[in-house]
Amino acid sequence: MSDLILHGYWRSSASYRVRIALALKGVDYAQVTHDLRSGAQRAPDYRALAPQGLVPALVAGDTVLTQSGAILEWIEARWPQPPLLPADPGDAAIVRAMAGIIACDIHPLGNLRILQALRQDFGASEDQVSGWIARWIGDGFTALETLVARHCGRFAFGDSPSFADCRIVPQLYNARRFGVDLTPFPRLCAVDAAACALPAFAAAHPDRQPDADI
């Protein structure tokens, strides 16, 4: 039995990021699923573990880690090879900035609880919700496309996967789910294709998780 337990959900893009990082590092872990559609993440026993009632949470012995960005930083410190951040501080800051566009400025505006609030609290139609999603993904991807074009090799920054790719691939998965037009973002799509050809990214894909309902 693995010493690491990842609490997540197959289609959660934040959980997907962590699965990618663990797979790239070759780290074994067990999974516990919380179906976000049924509100399982708000159950008292899970909130005792992760007070926000959000996934993912990573349990490592007596340590409980929440927030995917913090979890990725911990993984990088615990298993430095292969590195997911460049050694140069300036380059590492650029990778973190790419990752932050997704983690801070795109994903929070399109996650399930926000979309539910738009529908339930403001009476938004499905067309309006789709427009909302496309707006914020499009704005973020426009900036990210420029940064990736400036710094990419095979991947978002140079020729090795980084924190940026751990976030870009799940966000593109979300964009496709919601029917967002990706033709304005050829660099992001090329990075996604290169990453998804790697076994680690393929193993982390939502459709390959034990709780996937496909």
Side-chain angles (χ1 to χ4, degrees), residues 83-173:
L84 298 180
L85 282 172
D88 178 80
D91 291 346
I94 292 168
V95 168
R96 287 188 172 102
M98 290 178 178
I101 289 174
I102 292 173
C104 301
D105 298 324
I106 299 176
H107 173 256
L109 293 168
N111 69 14
L112 181 62
R113 60 181 178 160
I114 297 303
L115 302 184
Q116 287 176 335
L118 290 174
R119 296 180 181 107
Q120 297 169 8
D121 299 348
F122 300 100
S125 67
E126 289 308 307
D127 284 346
Q128 289 172 319
V129 169
S130 295
W132 170 273
I133 293 167
R135 172 186 175 181
W136 298 115
I137 290 179
D139 282 0
F141 275 6
T142 297
L144 192 56
E145 178 80 5
T146 299
L147 284 178
V148 169
R150 190 178 297 162
H151 298 288
C152 70
R154 186 180 174 201
F155 298 99
F157 190 98
D159 292 316
S160 301
S162 70
F163 281 176
D165 304 282
C166 291
R167 289 170 171 83
I168 287 170
V169 168
Q171 194 60 56
L172 279 164
Y173 171 82

Side-chain angles (χ1 to χ4, degrees), residues 12-22 56 67-69 72 75 99 102-104 106-108 163 165-168 170-171 174 204:
S12 157
S13 59
S15 300
Y16 191 178
R17 300 167 191 164
V18 175
R19 294 196 303 264
I20 291 170
L22 289 169
Q67 290 292 330
S68 64
L72 262 63
I75 291 169
I102 292 173
C104 301
I106 299 176
H107 173 256
F163 281 176
D165 304 282
C166 291
R167 289 170 171 83
I168 287 170
Q171 194 60 56
N174 279 353

Side-chain angles (χ1 to χ4, degrees), residues 191-204:
V191 163
D192 176 70
C196 289
L198 297 181
F201 282 84

